[in-house]
Amino acid sequence: MMEGSLLDIGKTWIFINESLADGLLSWNTSGKSNARILQPLWDLRLGREEFLRSPLFPVVLSVAFYFSLCTPFMIVDLIGNKWTWIQSFKLQTNKEVTVSQIFDTLGLTFWNHVVYILPAAVSQWVWTPDTHLPELAPSLFEFMWHQIASLLVFDFQYYVWHWTHHRVRFLYKHIHAVHHRYHSPFCWVTQYLHPWELITVGFLTTTNTWFFNCHPLTIWSYMLVSIVVSVEAHIGFDLPFCLHNWFPFGVIGGAPKHDMHHLKPTTNFQPFFNHWDKLFSSYCPAMKAGGIKPKQLLDYEHKNKETKKFI
């Protein structure tokens, strides 16, 4: 009787452990565990596979997300000058965004999307095979490190591209100068770009995930994170919820750093992080909310003025 009870308890214990393992973990051939915390999110694809498999889906997702993200900041730019509390977070307090500037930047943005993005998307739809959608979600670790790695790779690529297009006068004059028309960035300046720069950025962002054979969920999330970081760098506000305020030691540059790049174009070439700028002495300390210059920036400007006296 006791042996039967012990056997039943043992079977129950095995069943419970197997159920938990099946629900939370999957094991690959190397014996490493892949946490499936993201499985409920990934299962939302069920019933929508035909749309999500289409090569057009990433394009629609990124374009729709970009315009949706920029629109609230555009509203703030146009009517926020009446809100004292929001102006306290503005970086260049002496600059206002006008309706004509909105039309100018949106005009070029729409032109680039119609003339370049749309044909590229149609070509991708015709020639690219449908996206494979695996049954399992990526592990949380894989989901995180693949995005971080892709961001780091892009950050280095664009640092080199950006530095080159500032140092080579022909490239700056005929390509990158378009983006620098505005010394005080606002949201729509993010993609206020020469077509060559837009195509380069799009190509690098798309192909970086290929290096790591990323899961579709990871790729889509990486695209959205890239847009968030890019738009944040151009909003012209140092808002408390922005990403650069979440991380210590100035890991991420954000809007304060990129505003300084538009004011001092030979500095701050990195789009997201700060390590290459600091390593190669192209880093300039940033202003703070309200246009306040911290001691680091004042010391930097004083040092550069003194240096120019001896050149």
Side-chain angles (χ1 to χ4, degrees):
M1 188 72 177
M2 183 176 291
E3 290 180 1
S5 299
L6 290 173
L7 184 60
D8 290 339
I9 293 172
K11 288 181 178 179
T12 303
W13 178 250
I14 292 172
F15 174 76
I16 292 173
N17 277 278
E18 287 180 346
S19 299
L20 288 171
D22 289 341
L24 297 177
L25 299 172
S26 63
W27 294 85
N28 60 26
T29 54
S30 62
K32 296 180 180 179
S33 62
N34 294 318
R36 293 169 59 185
I37 297 173
L38 298 172
Q39 193 64 43
L41 177 63
W42 181 237
D43 285 343
L44 294 175
R45 80 192 186 285
L46 299 175
R48 304 173 178 86
E49 290 91 343
E50 184 176 355
F51 175 63
L52 297 177
R53 285 195 185 100
S54 171
L56 283 177
F57 173 70
V59 180
V60 173
L61 177 66
S62 58
V63 171
F65 184 71
Y66 175 70
F67 282 95
S68 299
L69 184 62
C70 285
T71 299
F73 291 110
M74 176 186 68
I75 295 171
V76 169
D77 283 330
L78 290 176
I79 65 176
N81 56 345
K82 301 176 183 178
W83 305 340
T84 305
W85 65 273
I86 197 69
Q87 289 304 309
S88 65
F89 297 110
K90 192 171 178 62
L91 290 164
Q92 297 188 48
T93 54
N94 60 330
K95 302 290 185 180
E96 289 188 8
V97 180
T98 65
V99 174
S100 62
Q101 290 174 340
I102 296 290
F103 276 109
D104 176 47
T105 49
L106 269 178
L108 181 60
T109 300
F110 278 117
W111 173 264
N112 282 340
H113 278 73
V114 171
V115 176
Y116 301 100
I117 301 298
L118 182 59
V122 172
S123 300
Q124 187 172 319
W125 177 53
V126 172
W127 298 107
T128 305
D130 288 350
T131 303
H132 171 64
L133 303 178
E135 290 297 319
L136 294 177
S139 69
L140 184 60
F141 175 74
E142 175 190 311
F143 179 77
M144 296 299 294
W145 90 261
H146 277 178
Q147 291 187 76
I148 294 171
S150 297
L151 285 170
L152 286 168
V153 170
F154 175 83
D155 200 63
F156 174 72
Q157 292 170 329
Y158 190 75
Y159 176 84
V160 175
W161 189 98
H162 198 183
W163 183 90
T164 303
H165 280 68
H166 272 275
R167 296 296 180 181
V168 179
R169 183 171 179 78
F170 175 85
L171 295 176
Y172 180 81
K173 180 179 179 180
H174 295 283
I175 296 174
H176 192 55
V178 173
H179 185 65
H180 276 271
R181 177 176 179 181
Y182 294 98
H183 301 297
S184 178
F186 55 95
C187 60
W188 296 119
V189 176
T190 308
Q191 291 191 13
Y192 189 76
L193 306 170
H194 185 280
W196 168 244
E197 183 167 0
L198 180 67
I199 292 169
T200 302
V201 170
F203 176 79
L204 295 177
T205 304
T206 301
T207 57
N208 280 340
T209 54
W210 298 356
F211 299 146
F212 309 103
N213 193 27
C214 295
H215 190 282
L217 183 62
T218 307
I219 294 173
W220 301 336
S221 177
Y222 160 70
M223 290 169 56
L224 299 185
V225 170
S226 297
I227 292 171
V228 168
V229 178
S230 298
V231 171
E232 180 193 315
H234 292 86
I235 58 175
F237 290 90
D238 185 8
L239 299 168
F241 58 78
C242 288
L243 289 174
H244 68 275
N245 288 318
W246 295 7
F247 294 86
F249 312 117
V251 174
I252 295 178
K257 179 192 174 186
H258 197 68
D259 256 57
M260 293 309 301
H261 172 70
H262 279 255
L263 288 170
K264 302 178 186 295
T266 59
T267 67
N268 295 351
F269 298 114
Q270 268 183 281
F272 301 154
F273 303 103
N274 289 324
H275 52 282
W276 294 118
D277 277 315
K278 291 182 177 179
L279 182 63
F280 293 109
S281 301
S282 55
Y283 177 77
C284 172
M287 287 188 297
K288 293 186 178 295
I292 298 173
K293 292 186 176 183
K295 184 178 184 301
Q296 295 91 335
L297 177 55
L298 293 173
D299 290 343
Y300 174 89
E301 292 180 336
H302 178 73
K303 180 181 178 181
N304 278 269
K305 286 179 181 178
E306 292 299 314
T307 302
K308 287 179 181 179
K309 291 179 180 180
F310 296 98
I311 294 178

